[in-house]
Amino acid sequence: MLVRDSLTALAVVALLSACGGGGGGGSSSPAPASSSASSSSSSVATSSSSSSSSSSAASSSSSSTATVISSLGADGWATVGTNNLSATGTSGGNGADVAHTYTVTNRNELLAALYTGLTMNADGSIATGTLDTSKKIIYVSGTISLNTNSASTPAENTESTYICPIGTVFSYSASAGTVSKTVAVAYTFTDYKNQYDPNGTWGTAAIDKGGDPMEVARACAMNKQKAVVKIKIPSNTSLIGVGSTAKFVRGNLSLAAGSDNIVIRNIAFEDSFDYFPQWDPTDSGGRWNSQYDTISVEGATHVWIDHCEFSDGTNHDKLYPPVFAAPYNIKEMKVQHHDGAVDVGNQSNYVTLSSNYVHDHDKTHLIGGSDSPSATNGPSFLKSRCTTTI
């Protein structure tokens, strides 16, 4: 996180991107944290001299952290507009009662803090549960992998966890509605790249998950991984890192449309790894594309992401070089297993990203965007009100 002394020399440049805009297994229980969680602290400065100040006094105990790192203090667009609590701006879970103040140390505890009525499947995907929109403060302690199963001591899932057996029925949404396909072949990366080698029989034709059996197998596996590693964050939530070691790895936080008033502070995000990237021969002459940002703001409103760190850790995409022969072997055609750091789109509004550190990662932010703008997915869809201070 930005409490590290080596980062105090980073220049903090205010980029006011005012983009316009209109308006069944069991689970562990997270431990309650201090009752003082709703106490306020001074706002975080956005000058270079104080870029690492938000958590410099935090200790390893949740109660001490609660009094130092607050849900309050946002600036920029996150201070504008009326949130779902009929208050102005972004306060996350500030004011949460003791029953909704947690310290979490693994994925199971995190989900138990985010959901009511939660049950999980063996691989860690959610079987039943409702996102809890009550005001809540969740203190993140240590490193938490978001790619784990639902065992009482969660274990890391692997690529083989998600590969769909032949005969699996895979359903997905298409323009014509829900489409179901049956997996007819077993996915392996070697078979996938051989099937779609642009120098081979397939050539540069578009790849359709509703058609070719190998793409159906990849898409089915991708969908299973997404059900585990993509964590939805509900309204009125604060995620606050404890001390200088709080970290989420191998997963994606999704702040979707309908979610409002979310604060994320003092947490590192690392290696949101997609086991099943897709080769797209129609993208810029051919590119591998992956699914997961570390944080995706996908239509949420009133969001403050502050003093966080984003990277691929040591698992850089450059470790996965191009796999096809010339002319499809330029460096941009490496096998990409990571997407953005923090993307803000889908009409997200009132968002501030402040004093964050992005490194060892190919992409940083997408602020609004679409590959195919149209009447229903055009300029108003792409606009977001977002203030970025880096």
Side-chain angles (χ1 to χ4, degrees):
M1 270 70 53
L2 296 186
V3 297
R4 295 170 182 163
D5 292 339
S6 63
L7 303 180
T8 58
L10 284 176
V12 177
V13 182
L15 300 178
L16 298 180
S17 304
C19 308
S27 64
S28 303
S29 298
S34 165
S35 60
S36 61
S38 63
S39 62
S40 172
S41 68
S42 59
S43 62
V44 178
T46 56
S47 66
S48 59
S49 62
S50 60
S51 64
S52 62
S53 63
S54 78
S55 58
S56 59
S59 75
S60 60
S61 70
S62 60
S63 59
S64 175
T65 302
T67 61
V68 175
I69 301 180
S70 171
S71 299
L72 303 180
D75 59 6
W77 278 114
T79 66
V80 178
T82 302
N83 63 36
N84 71 97
L85 301 176
S86 300
T88 300
T90 305
S91 57
N94 187 65
D97 58 25
V98 174
H100 292 92
T101 305
Y102 311 93
T103 296
V104 300
T105 61
N106 61 44
R107 179 180 177 275
N108 292 351
E109 293 174 353
L110 173 66
L111 291 178
L114 295 172
Y115 284 82
T116 60
L118 175 70
T119 62
M120 289 188 284
N121 300 310
D123 66 358
S125 58
I126 294 171
T128 62
T130 302
L131 287 167
D132 183 5
T133 59
S134 304
K135 289 190 291 185
K136 71 188 74 62
I137 298 177
I138 302 172
Y139 292 103
V140 178
S141 179
T143 298
I144 296 178
S145 174
L146 301 179
N147 180 44
T148 58
N149 62 23
S150 62
S152 56
T153 302
E156 192 80 11
N157 289 329
T158 65
E159 177 182 296
S160 62
T161 306
Y162 302 120
I163 293 175
C164 298
I166 293 173
T168 300
V169 176
F170 167 56
S171 298
Y172 64 96
S173 296
S175 57
T178 301
V179 177
S180 295
K181 291 289 180 178
T182 301
V183 175
V185 297
Y187 172 89
T188 70
F189 179 76
T190 298
D191 289 344
Y192 184 87
K193 71 179 180 66
N194 290 342
Q195 173 72 9
Y196 302 117
D197 187 339
N199 293 303
T201 302
W202 187 270
T204 58
I207 300 170
D208 180 13
K209 68 182 177 183
D212 191 71
M214 185 57 68
E215 174 59 13
V216 170
R218 186 209 64 83
C220 182
M222 177 272 293
N223 203 50
K224 287 184 66 177
Q225 182 185 2
K226 182 167 66 174
V228 174
V229 304
K230 189 165 187 170
I231 308 298
K232 296 179 180 179
I233 307 300
S235 298
N236 309 315
T237 298
S238 291
L239 290 168
I240 307 291
V242 174
S244 61
T245 60
K247 182 186 295 185
F248 286 125
V249 299
R250 290 179 290 285
N252 161 257
L253 299 189
S254 172
L255 284 57
S259 292
D260 176 74
N261 191 31
I262 296 170
V263 171
I264 302 173
R265 302 187 71 190
N266 196 49
I267 302 172
F269 295 83
E270 185 175 292
D271 191 22
S272 185
F273 190 86
D274 185 349
Y275 286 117
F276 309 102
Q278 180 186 37
W279 170 250
D280 184 355
T282 69
D283 181 358
S284 306
R287 294 292 187 271
W288 290 92
N289 293 315
S290 58
Q291 281 285 312
Y292 311 114
D293 312 313
T294 55
I295 299 179
S296 301
V297 187
E298 304 170 299
T301 53
H302 294 106
V303 176
W304 183 31
I305 301 172
D306 174 70
H307 278 78
C308 292
E309 182 177 347
F310 303 92
S311 78
D312 294 340
T314 59
N315 197 18
H316 305 147
D317 280 337
K318 67 183 179 182
L319 299 176
Y320 304 91
V323 293
F324 301 129
Y328 301 99
N329 61 348
I330 62 175
K331 64 181 181 180
E332 290 82 6
M333 294 177 179
K334 63 182 178 295
V335 183
Q336 179 180 286
H337 289 276
H338 306 88
D339 200 18
V342 183
D343 283 5
V344 183
N346 293 17
Q347 292 184 307
S348 300
N349 223 341
Y350 307 124
V351 178
T352 293
L353 315 178
S354 56
S355 300
N356 298 301
Y357 178 37
V358 182
H359 62 96
D360 292 289
H361 187 79
D362 279 355
K363 303 176 183 179
T364 53
H365 307 306
L366 174 68
I367 308 296
S370 171
D371 290 333
S372 54
S374 65
T376 57
N377 179 22
S380 64
F381 182 86
L382 305 182
K383 292 176 181 176
S384 300
R385 285 189 173 116
C386 179
T387 300
T388 304
T389 306
I390 58 174

